[in-house]
Amino acid sequence: MQYISKDKLDFLWKTVDNNFKFGISIEPGDCIIDIGANIGIFACRCNELTHGKLDIHCFEPIKTLYDVCKNNVDFGKVINKGISSKEKTVTFTDYPNYTLLDNGDSVTIMRNSTDISEEFLEKQVKGTNYDCKYIPLSKYLDDKHINEIDLLKVGIDEYEILSGIKNK
């Protein structure tokens, strides 16, 4: 298993089964959508639970996380896009040497974020900008001819995701 931070990997593995609380379960053959897949721990757990018999689609817009996820989830589809209510491009800045209390992970911050001032970051650390495409989930489902989702795991802003799904 590839990872960015061993501490973060351990934390993700310890908490991954929280996704299956409250009666949520999966079965072999299920179609699973993982939005905000990070490094693919949830997908790997689903693969274990279904003995490799699943149709999983992982979305991870942050390039450094996507690269690790793609390596870890060689049994499913890993897409370097975000999911939103509409098609758009978002500029991210990756600060690989800046560890904001995150045990060695690189920090990726959306441009114009209010969490940390741009001025501070430009003076203190060197970042790399990159653009990431976002699409509505319905567009992806239509393009891939997916008519039914058995489990939708959302690791980011739910409203933005759900408002981009057409009712069929």
Side-chain angles (χ1 to χ4, degrees):
M1 164 112 353
Q2 187 178 356
Y3 56 89
I4 297 171
S5 159
K6 178 73 168 99
D7 290 336
K8 182 76 172 227
L9 174 70
D10 292 343
F11 172 78
L12 291 171
W13 271 117
K14 285 178 189 169
T15 60
V16 70
D17 284 329
N18 291 341
N19 291 289
F20 299 101
K21 287 184 175 181
F22 311 110
I24 296 172
S25 64
I26 58 173
E27 302 293 331
D30 278 356
C31 178
I32 301 167
I33 306 291
D34 183 359
I35 300 172
N38 200 286
I39 64 170
I41 298 297
F42 177 75
C44 289
R45 183 67 177 127
C46 290
N47 193 49
E48 288 175 358
L49 292 171
T50 61
H51 307 289
K53 296 179 173 135
L54 77 162
D55 179 22
I56 191 157
H57 306 257
C58 301
F59 292 86
E60 181 50 59
I62 298 171
K63 181 76 167 103
T64 51
L65 296 174
Y66 163 80
D67 289 340
V68 176
C69 187
K70 184 126 178 91
N71 182 67
N72 292 337
V73 184
D74 58 354
F75 50 85
K77 295 163 192 73
V78 181
I79 302 97
N80 188 207
K81 290 184 179 174
I83 298 296
S84 180
S85 60
K86 62 184 178 187
E87 289 192 51
K88 63 182 178 180
T89 300
V90 174
T91 301
F92 286 93
T93 303
D94 186 35
Y95 300 95
N97 298 318
Y98 187 68
T99 59
L100 194 77
L101 302 174
D102 206 1
N103 301 316
D105 283 1
S106 68
V107 174
T108 303
I109 299 171
M110 196 178 302
R111 301 296 280 178
N112 303 323
S113 171
T114 58
D115 294 342
I116 299 174
S117 79
E118 189 82 19
E119 181 181 357
F120 171 80
L121 288 172
E122 287 177 4
K123 287 181 181 177
Q124 299 297 322
V125 295
K126 179 118 174 102
T128 304
N129 293 343
Y130 61 95
D131 291 335
C132 180
K133 294 196 181 299
Y134 277 69
I135 60 170
L137 184 55
S138 287
K139 178 178 177 9
Y140 180 81
L141 298 175
D142 289 345
D143 290 350
K144 299 297 179 188
H145 307 289
I146 298 171
N147 296 316
E148 185 175 320
I149 300 171
D150 296 295
L151 179 62
L152 174 64
K153 180 256 184 186
V154 180
I156 55 171
D157 181 18
E158 295 87 2
Y159 177 77
E160 182 72 15
I161 304 298
L162 298 176
S163 62
I165 300 174
K166 291 186 277 184
N167 192 8
K168 287 188 175 185

